[in-house]
Amino acid sequence: MSDAAARPVVSDRVWTIPNVLSALRLVLVPVFFVFIVVGNDLAALIVIIVSTVSDWADGVIARRFGQITKLGQLLDPAADRLFIMAAVIGLAVREVVPWWLVAVIIGRDVFLVVLGVVLAQHRFGPLPVHHIGKTATFALFYALPTLVLGQAFPAVAAVSDPIGWAFALWGAFLYWWAGLLYLRQTRALIRQHPLDSGDASDTLARRRATDG
């Protein structure tokens, strides 16, 4: 089977079940943030559980029923990152996590935005997501709710807090590791295709082999 045949079809559709679920997750972000800040940890935990289940469901539906869309590829990671940001800022406001962790996580996302601007100036699209970046997002996405669990149920904090912090620190490390890999890819692409060469691709799909 060729790579083209194995690659899933990505459509321009907007109204799909996975996109609706992703939009729902985005709507839940401010709700989750308010619950965290005011200290309603049980409600915040319920919201994050609903979000996690919907995240799993939209991925399964998109793959099984051929509903992978360009919009969904934007909404899904956006919802993940916003939940992470909402959790870490909310917990920092309550002094559950230090502000340096906020700076580490948000600083990396700002760093990627800068790389995106540089790539756009050279007529490249977004970089393909690296598996280390996916692992980092997974670790952070589950680390912060685990810390919330300890706040909601103090009886389990002795177990949940160390697990949450282990995921948080490992996730933050991988987050920046992936960021440095994206920097390496960006530099390689720009060196191979200077802006004045006139042959820079408008997407990165054709350049996946640059970094293996």
Side-chain angles (χ1 to χ4, degrees):
M1 182 180 294
S2 67
D3 290 342
R7 190 179 302 126
V9 176
V10 180
S11 74
D12 293 320
R13 295 173 62 190
V14 173
W15 294 107
T16 66
I17 294 175
N19 286 354
V20 170
L21 291 175
S22 293
L24 172 63
R25 292 173 64 216
L26 287 172
V27 171
L28 288 176
V29 170
V31 177
F32 173 72
F33 179 72
V34 170
F35 284 148
I36 287 287
V37 171
V38 302
N40 194 340
D41 298 308
L42 180 57
L45 196 59
I46 292 172
V47 170
I48 200 66
I49 290 172
V50 171
S51 174
T52 302
V53 171
S54 68
D55 184 29
W56 170 82
D58 78 50
V60 171
I61 294 171
R63 290 187 297 270
R64 183 167 298 178
F65 297 99
Q67 296 187 6
I68 300 176
T69 65
K70 293 178 181 178
L71 178 61
Q73 291 179 330
L74 293 175
L75 292 180
D76 191 55
D80 287 344
R81 284 188 170 86
L82 287 174
F83 260 109
I84 290 171
M85 291 175 62
V88 72
I89 293 174
L91 290 174
V93 168
R94 291 174 50 194
E95 301 183 346
V96 176
V97 301
W99 281 100
W100 64 257
L101 184 61
V102 179
V104 167
I105 293 174
I106 295 181
R108 186 269 195 176
D109 284 334
V110 172
F111 177 68
L112 287 193
V113 169
V114 173
L115 289 184
V117 171
V118 172
L119 285 167
Q121 289 178 338
H122 286 77
R123 298 192 294 276
F124 284 102
L127 291 164
V129 178
H130 197 282
H131 69 275
I132 292 178
K134 291 181 179 180
T135 303
T137 300
F138 173 86
L140 291 172
F141 192 71
Y142 287 97
L144 298 168
T146 303
L147 294 174
V148 174
L149 176 65
Q151 297 296 309
F153 301 99
V156 303
V159 175
S160 63
D161 283 359
I163 294 174
W165 271 108
F167 271 107
L169 295 176
W170 182 238
F173 170 74
L174 291 178
Y175 219 42
W176 271 99
W177 186 2
L180 295 177
L181 290 176
Y182 294 141
L183 173 61
R184 178 187 170 195
Q185 289 178 317
T186 299
R187 291 176 60 186
L189 287 168
I190 292 174
R191 285 177 178 175
Q192 292 177 14
H193 299 271
L195 187 59
D196 60 355
S197 68
D199 61 351
S201 170
D202 58 353
T203 71
L204 200 59
R206 304 172 188 172
R207 303 300 307 166
R208 290 178 180 272
T210 299
D211 236 22

